[in-house]
Amino acid sequence: MQAISCHQAWQNMTRSARQGSVRNYCQLLDMADYCVETELFPLPVLEAYTAWNLELPISEAQHQLFSNLRGGGQGDYRQGMQRKIANVVDCLSCYPASKRAVITIGNDAFAAHSDDDQAKCMRELHCYLDDDNRLSATVFFRAQAALIFPKNIHFIGSLMRTVAAQLPGQPQLGTLFYLTTILVADRA
């Protein structure tokens, strides 16, 4: 599978989802440039959501940018993120060939399916050092709205960059194998 840019992936997702829901959508993404700005997600909004989900402090002005239209509680991945990052960094620092450098998002095995905030879209990010010693990953999504992809990919790219910056040799970002169980156009 040929890696494409994150912007190309967003265009492909948008085009595909206009025709209806797509089951088991996958794509290989080049993570060199993971910033996909849109009208709904200009750079300040992307930065606010990413900082929040990385469990970093945000200003009141940044918090005012949050809305259900931009993902609501389903896209809140913050809980324990700094500990999860530290665990992945430790794993890959001590065991560079490890298959256990995993960040799990959905922490409740019995989430109430009637509660959108418990139905997290992103489920797991599996990080690894590829054959070229770049930090690459595989991500599993329960669902992805093409409209929300720019926010998610900015977070994932920033998360990968955060991990890479703490690893010996500070590897460049490689690819992301992106898999979602269902791709839809928007959250409607």
Side-chain angles (χ1 to χ4, degrees), residues 57-121:
I58 64 169
S59 69
E60 183 57 35
Q62 286 177 307
H63 203 298
Q64 295 303 313
L65 299 172
F66 287 35
S67 73
N68 280 339
L69 181 62
R70 290 183 170 135
Q74 289 179 340
D76 184 350
Y77 308 135
R78 179 180 178 88
Q79 184 180 4
M81 189 53 67
Q82 287 298 310
R83 281 186 52 219
K84 294 172 185 181
I85 291 169
N87 187 53
V88 165
V89 169
D90 182 62
C91 179
L92 291 176
S93 295
C94 295
Y95 309 100
S98 179
K99 299 169 194 72
R100 297 181 179 173
V102 178
I103 293 178
T104 302
I105 302 298
N107 295 321
D108 188 346
F110 297 102
H113 299 289
S114 58
D115 183 346
D116 282 351
D117 289 354
Q118 290 187 29
K120 303 296 183 202
C121 293

Side-chain angles (χ1 to χ4, degrees), residues 30-74:
D30 178 347
M31 293 303 289
D33 181 7
Y34 51 82
C35 187
V36 179
E37 289 187 76
T38 65
E39 188 175 318
L40 184 60
F41 290 107
L43 187 57
V45 172
L46 293 172
E47 290 172 340
Y49 273 99
T50 291
W52 175 259
N53 280 324
L54 287 175
E55 205 177 11
L56 301 173
I58 64 169
S59 69
E60 183 57 35
Q62 286 177 307
H63 203 298
Q64 295 303 313
L65 299 172
F66 287 35
S67 73
N68 280 339
L69 181 62
R70 290 183 170 135
Q74 289 179 340

Side-chain angles (χ1 to χ4, degrees), residues 141-162:
F141 272 82
R142 172 189 58 78
Q144 175 67 72
L147 185 71
I148 306 296
F149 174 79
K151 179 186 79 166
N152 287 334
I153 201 64
H154 191 272
F155 166 63
I156 294 165
S158 297
L159 174 57
M160 289 174 68
R161 188 159 311 284
T162 299

